[in-house]
């Protein structure tokens, strides 16, 4: 038994994703979802361990506080200060963060290399942090952080610089200079909530985006955000957040089962599901 703990958690795609993978591989496992009161989250996790569950995904709002509840932290957790995966082993709770490696693997699958690239990261929250630390490790030519609240962008850039002093890391602001930063970037990553179904809009103007750009939106609902639609129309190569979702899930799955995730099967299942709810919400 595996599952996800969070609040709210009822809209999570993880149960669909993992149950599809488990049944495809013929494993006699089940993935369940647990919406837990914040004050009960720690005891619920300990209860899951004591019940003999294999592991859990952890989502909002417990990704940071759960770091304090684990016995053994993977390097990814120490680096980002947050986790999304627990493995219960020998009565111990082990914590992992598969978001960063999931992001990297999604690019690798598409043969997109980060080496020598100029990267513009929009956002400085939890999702942005997970991506920022793995990007900084990839010999990029430059990593620029842009955020609505500039202080948070500066703080993240400072942390990244102390972690990787040899990488050029700076910040950009929402001002006249932004157009230049956009046109001088190779890979643009949206890690803000702007563009998601409940936060419609676009995080940056797209006038300076063209066929030289790769635009990755970590949002997957809708499948094509306004940023991705506009960028694609302008000739950019676009990547949906569904890819990172699938790849972070693949890493969690490997930690729990030791087996390879059936990526194409899961991608097809989730794409069809998202399209069906998109049709229904029209
Ligand atoms: P997550 O864990 O999903 O990253 P988060 O930590 O709350 O969530 O971060 C949300 C990110 O989206 C932040 O970078 C936030 O900017 P602020 O730091 O200024 O809050 C960004 N964001 C949210 N709403 C936004 C908006 N309307 N315009 C621009 N940025 C926004």
């Amino acid at each position: 038994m595996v599952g996800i703990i969070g609040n709210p958690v009822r809209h999570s795609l993880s149960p669909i994703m993992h149950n599809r993978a488990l049944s495809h591989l013929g494993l006699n496992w089940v993935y369940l979802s647990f919406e837990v009161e914040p004050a009960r989250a720690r005891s619920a996790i300990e209860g899951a361990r004591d019940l003999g569950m294999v592991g859990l995904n952890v989502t909002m709002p417990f990704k940071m506080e759960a770091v304090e509840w684990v016995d053994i932290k993977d390097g990814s957790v120490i680096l980002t200060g947050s986790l999304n995966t627990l493995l219960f082993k020998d009565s111990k709770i082990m914590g992992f963060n598969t978001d960063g490696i999931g992001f990297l693997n999604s690019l690798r699958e598409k043969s997109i290399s980060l080496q020598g690239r100029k990267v513009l990261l929009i956002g400085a929250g939890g999702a942005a942090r997970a991506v920022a630390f793995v990007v900084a490790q990839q010999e990029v030519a430059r990593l620029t952080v842009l955020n609505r609240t500039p202080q948070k962008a500066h703080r993240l850039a400072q942390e990244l610089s102390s972690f990787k002093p040899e990488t050029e890391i700076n910040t950009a602001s929402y001002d006249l200079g932004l157009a230049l930063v956009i046109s001088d970037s190779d890979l643009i990553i949206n890690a803000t909530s702007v563009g998601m179904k409940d936060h419609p809009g676009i995080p940056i103007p797209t006038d300076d985006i063209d066929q030289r750009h790769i635009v990755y939106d970590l949002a997957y609902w809708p499948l094509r955000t306004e940023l991705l639609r506009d960028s694609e129309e302008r000739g950019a190569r676009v990547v949906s957040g569904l890819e990172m979702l699938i790849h972070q899930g693949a890493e969690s799955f490997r930690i729990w089962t030791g087996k390879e995730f059936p990526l194409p099967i899961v991608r097809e299942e989730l794409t069809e599901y998202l399209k069906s709810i998109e049709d229904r919400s029209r």
Side-chain angles (χ1 to χ4, degrees):
M1 190 159 60
V2 279
I4 183 166
I5 180 167
N7 195 336
V9 84
R10 64 192 65 183
H11 298 298
S12 169
L13 298 182
S14 293
I16 299 173
M17 173 159 82
H18 285 288
N19 284 318
R20 184 72 189 89
L22 291 167
S23 74
H24 179 77
L25 295 180
L27 296 174
N28 188 19
W29 291 44
V30 65
Y31 185 105
L32 300 165
S33 126
F34 303 101
E35 196 160 284
V36 174
E37 284 305 315
R40 298 272 175 211
R42 184 174 190 168
S43 57
I45 286 171
E46 289 168 355
R49 174 201 59 196
D50 297 344
L51 285 170
M53 286 184 71
V54 175
L56 283 173
N57 276 136
V58 177
T59 189
M60 301 303 288
F62 309 129
K63 290 176 90 162
M64 283 165 89
E65 52 186 324
V67 172
E68 303 305 320
W69 306 337
V70 303
D71 302 303
I72 302 164
K73 299 180 186 84
D74 180 60
S76 56
V77 176
I78 296 166
L79 208 58
T80 57
S82 72
L83 58 76
N84 72 342
T85 305
L86 302 174
L87 173 70
F88 305 127
K89 205 170 174 208
D90 306 328
S91 307
K92 294 267 188 287
I93 307 177
M94 300 168 73
F96 303 81
N97 192 326
T98 67
D99 287 334
I101 184 73
F103 176 78
L104 274 191
N105 285 344
S106 70
L107 291 179
R108 283 190 189 128
E109 195 196 359
K110 294 181 180 301
S111 305
I112 298 172
S113 161
L114 283 168
Q115 214 180 349
R117 302 268 197 184
K118 293 175 189 163
V119 180
L120 172 61
L121 174 66
I122 316 164
R129 279 183 73 85
V131 167
F133 280 97
V134 292
V135 169
Q137 284 175 294
Q138 299 304 309
E139 294 175 32
V140 290
R142 192 185 68 211
L143 172 57
T144 304
V145 184
L146 167 72
N147 194 48
R148 174 180 61 178
T149 311
Q151 295 88 326
K152 277 171 70 182
H154 289 301
R155 222 174 306 139
L156 177 57
Q158 260 168 11
E159 265 186 76
L160 292 165
S161 297
S162 339
F163 168 61
K164 271 277 160 195
E166 62 275 28
T167 304
E168 186 187 339
I169 293 161
N170 58 18
T171 58
S173 343
Y174 282 99
D175 59 21
L176 285 175
L178 183 57
L180 201 62
V181 177
I182 293 172
S183 73
D184 191 37
S185 298
D186 306 304
L187 172 64
I188 299 171
I189 305 160
N190 177 36
T192 73
S193 40
V194 182
M196 292 180 186
K197 200 76 174 176
D198 46 355
H199 289 96
I202 195 152
I204 50 164
T206 50
D207 315 81
D208 296 290
I209 291 178
D210 58 36
Q211 70 283 352
R212 295 167 302 134
H213 290 101
I214 300 170
V215 181
Y216 197 143
D217 199 332
L218 301 193
Y220 51 79
W221 172 236
L223 267 171
R224 278 279 183 271
T225 58
E226 203 175 325
L227 174 67
L228 292 190
R229 259 190 288 121
D230 284 9
S231 303
E232 197 167 34
E233 273 170 22
R234 295 180 160 278
R237 179 167 183 192
V238 299
V239 186
S240 157
L242 187 65
E243 294 304 315
M244 177 164 160
L245 176 80
I246 294 172
H247 278 274
Q248 64 76 32
E251 280 303 302
S252 301
F253 192 86
R254 201 181 46 74
I255 289 168
W256 297 323
T257 65
K259 298 202 185 300
E260 282 304 310
F261 203 58
L263 283 165
I265 303 279
V266 171
R267 181 178 289 116
E268 191 184 324
E269 177 88 7
L270 287 186
T271 306
E272 271 178 26
Y273 175 75
L274 286 170
K275 280 187 177 151
S276 76
I277 55 172
E278 211 156 306
D279 288 345
R280 261 185 275 145
S281 72
R282 275 209 186 98

